């Protein structure tokens, strides 16, 4: 990190702890800018924003935290009910927000973090200045005849059964100390993506250690998911319940397995509200790491527009 960065545990109810990184802590007060909060996806942690934090933080404070049940945060037992598990994520974020005294902020979530972020915006609209959904999981509706009409290879069907029976990343824990090596072999691209900020296998080791512990957050994800990666309660069926005053920006990777159609559907459902859908060429699901310069430019421009929109002069007009 080139910009001042603090790390701390934020203690919420039931003595649960949320690992937090705060970049450029005094910037918003000094510059009159809007803070941004970053929420990672399934199996991730704050370290995966390494290619973005410096570029997003010169004029503002950037907050990133490990979702409850992931990374260095506490690993509580989540409900087995999909909506209750979702609510537990949302309430933990609200408790985290209150502890940091954040009144309003731009909320950016990737994948599972996008799903949880949208749910948070639905419940606490007064806190969200702009909702940014990066290749969000859990938005599309599973077609009723998906298994019959879609040619699914046998090995994927087997994996789907295993994931529904066990937790998605159970294989890493079964591998024990060889888990990090397994990640390096399965995902050799990760080292290339992050080579600008780390040498050697550090990023693979980080992901392994994020997921080698008790699979608390994974269990919550499994409660919210259907086979083949669909959500039990698709967000696109509820997105119209988000306050129309909250702008929503979708950022998809053109090569991602996540379908961008729900973003376009959201435009149809929120005709009187601001909805922007951007697709970054050459990027996969991890848009922020696949094309970090382009991603950072899109988010930085969005943030500057929010600063102008909420400046005292602009608000008088």
């Amino acid at each position: 990190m080139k910009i001042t960065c603090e790390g701390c545990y934020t203690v919420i109810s039931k003595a649960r702890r949320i690992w937090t990184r705060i970049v450029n802590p005094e910037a918003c007060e000094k510059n009159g800018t809007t803070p941004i909060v970053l929420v990672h996806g399934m199996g991730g942690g704050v370290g995966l924003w390494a290619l973005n934090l410096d570029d997003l933080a010169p004029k503002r404070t950037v907050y990133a935290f490990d979702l409850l049940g992931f990374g260095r945060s506490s690993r509580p037992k989540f409900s087995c009910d999909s909506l209750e598990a979702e609510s537990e994520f949302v309430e933990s974020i609200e408790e985290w927000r209150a502890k940091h005294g954040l009144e309003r902020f731009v909320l950016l979530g990737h994948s599972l973090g996008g799903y949880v972020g949208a749910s948070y915006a639905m419940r606490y609209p007064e806190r969200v200045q702009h909702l940014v959904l990066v290749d969000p999981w859990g938005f599309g509706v599973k077609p009723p005849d998906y298994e019959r009409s879609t040619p699914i290879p046998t090995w994927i069907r087997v994996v789907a059964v295993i994931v529904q029976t066990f937790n998605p990343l159970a294989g890493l824990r079964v591998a024990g100390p060889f888990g990090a090596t397994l990640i390096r072999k399965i995902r050799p691209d990760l080292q290339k993506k992050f080579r600008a900020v780390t040498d050697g296998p550090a990023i693979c080791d980080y992901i392994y250690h994020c997921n080698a512990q008790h699979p608390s957050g994974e269990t919550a994800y499994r409660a919210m998911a259907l086979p083949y990666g669909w959500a039990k309660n698709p967000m696109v069926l509820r997105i119209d319940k988000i306050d129309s005053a909250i702008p929503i920006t979708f950022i998809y990777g053109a090569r991602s397995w996540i379908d961008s159609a729900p973003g376009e559907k959201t435009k149809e459902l929120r005709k009187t509200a601001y909805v922007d859908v951007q697709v970054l060429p050459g990027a996969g699901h991890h848009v922020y790491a696949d094309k970090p310069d382009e991603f950072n430019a899109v988010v930085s421009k969005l943030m500057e527009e929010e600063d102008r929109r909420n400046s005292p002069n602009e608000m008088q007009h």
Side-chain angles (χ1 to χ4, degrees):
M1 293 294 301
K2 298 173 184 176
I3 298 176
T4 303
C5 178
E6 301 174 353
C8 63
Y9 279 107
T10 305
V11 181
I12 61 173
S13 63
K14 302 177 183 177
R16 295 170 299 174
R17 305 193 302 169
I18 295 179
W19 175 247
T20 307
R21 284 284 184 186
I22 307 172
V23 187
N24 211 355
E26 310 299 328
C28 287
E29 186 175 350
K30 186 188 302 181
N31 301 321
T33 50
T34 306
I36 184 169
V37 175
L38 310 180
V39 187
H40 65 81
M42 171 68 183
V46 297
L48 295 185
W49 301 111
L51 295 166
N52 317 109
L53 296 175
D54 276 329
D55 281 2
L56 298 180
K59 298 178 182 178
R60 72 191 71 258
T61 303
V62 178
Y63 295 84
F65 60 84
D66 288 344
L67 274 168
L68 201 64
F70 291 101
R72 296 174 66 179
S73 291
S74 295
R75 307 263 172 156
K77 182 178 180 180
F78 282 84
S79 171
C80 294
D81 177 82
S82 59
L83 288 176
E84 287 182 9
E86 178 184 322
S87 180
E88 286 168 340
F89 277 128
V90 168
E91 292 307 317
S92 70
I93 294 175
E94 173 57 12
E95 288 189 49
W96 174 90
R97 178 210 63 79
K99 283 296 181 84
H100 287 278
L102 288 173
E103 291 300 315
R104 281 172 60 79
F105 50 90
V106 171
L107 180 59
L108 183 152
H110 169 251
S111 195
L112 173 62
Y115 182 86
V116 173
S119 184
Y120 178 88
M122 206 177 298
R123 189 171 301 183
Y124 296 102
E126 70 278 10
R127 301 303 179 191
V128 181
Q129 190 164 314
H130 195 130
L131 179 63
V132 185
L133 303 168
V134 183
D135 232 50
W137 170 83
F139 274 63
V141 179
K142 182 182 179 182
D145 58 346
Y146 179 75
E147 278 91 343
R148 285 191 296 105
S149 62
T150 306
I152 304 171
T154 301
W155 71 270
I156 292 182
R157 292 182 183 274
V158 171
V159 169
V161 171
I162 292 172
V163 167
Q164 286 302 112
T165 307
F166 303 99
N167 286 303
L169 298 171
L172 287 183
R173 288 179 289 278
V174 171
F178 299 104
T181 303
L182 183 63
I183 293 174
R184 289 196 288 275
K185 289 186 178 299
I186 295 174
R187 295 294 306 274
D189 60 306
L190 286 172
Q191 289 177 228
K192 293 179 183 177
K193 292 182 199 296
F194 289 89
R195 63 187 170 193
V197 292
T198 183
D199 296 325
I203 191 66
C204 296
D205 292 344
Y206 172 74
I207 291 172
Y208 168 69
H209 286 293
C210 276
N211 295 289
Q213 304 170 59
H214 175 64
S216 166
E218 286 175 60
T219 302
Y221 167 81
R222 188 155 62 93
M224 297 188 293
L226 292 169
Y228 308 109
W230 302 92
K232 290 179 180 177
N233 300 287
M235 195 56 67
V236 76
L237 299 180
R238 303 180 274 158
I239 198 81
D240 60 328
K241 293 182 172 61
I242 293 179
D243 192 325
S244 61
I246 299 175
I248 299 179
T249 296
F250 289 86
I251 306 175
Y252 290 100
R255 299 173 59 192
S256 174
W257 57 273
I258 293 280
D259 186 4
S260 62
E264 298 296 339
K265 182 65 176 177
T266 300
K267 272 188 173 181
E268 295 177 22
L269 295 170
R270 303 181 88 230
K271 286 185 171 65
T272 61
Y274 178 92
V275 179
D276 184 29
V277 180
Q278 303 213 22
V279 181
L280 297 192
H285 180 52
H286 294 275
V287 191
Y288 56 90
D290 292 333
K291 294 291 180 180
D293 292 341
E294 294 86 342
F295 175 83
N296 293 340
V298 168
V299 177
S300 294
K301 182 181 178 182
L302 178 155
M303 295 300 300
E304 288 169 4
E305 289 171 354
E306 284 302 318
D307 293 340
R308 285 192 292 272
R309 191 164 69 92
N310 290 278
S311 67
N313 291 337
E314 186 67 25
M315 294 176 73
Q316 288 173 6
H317 291 85

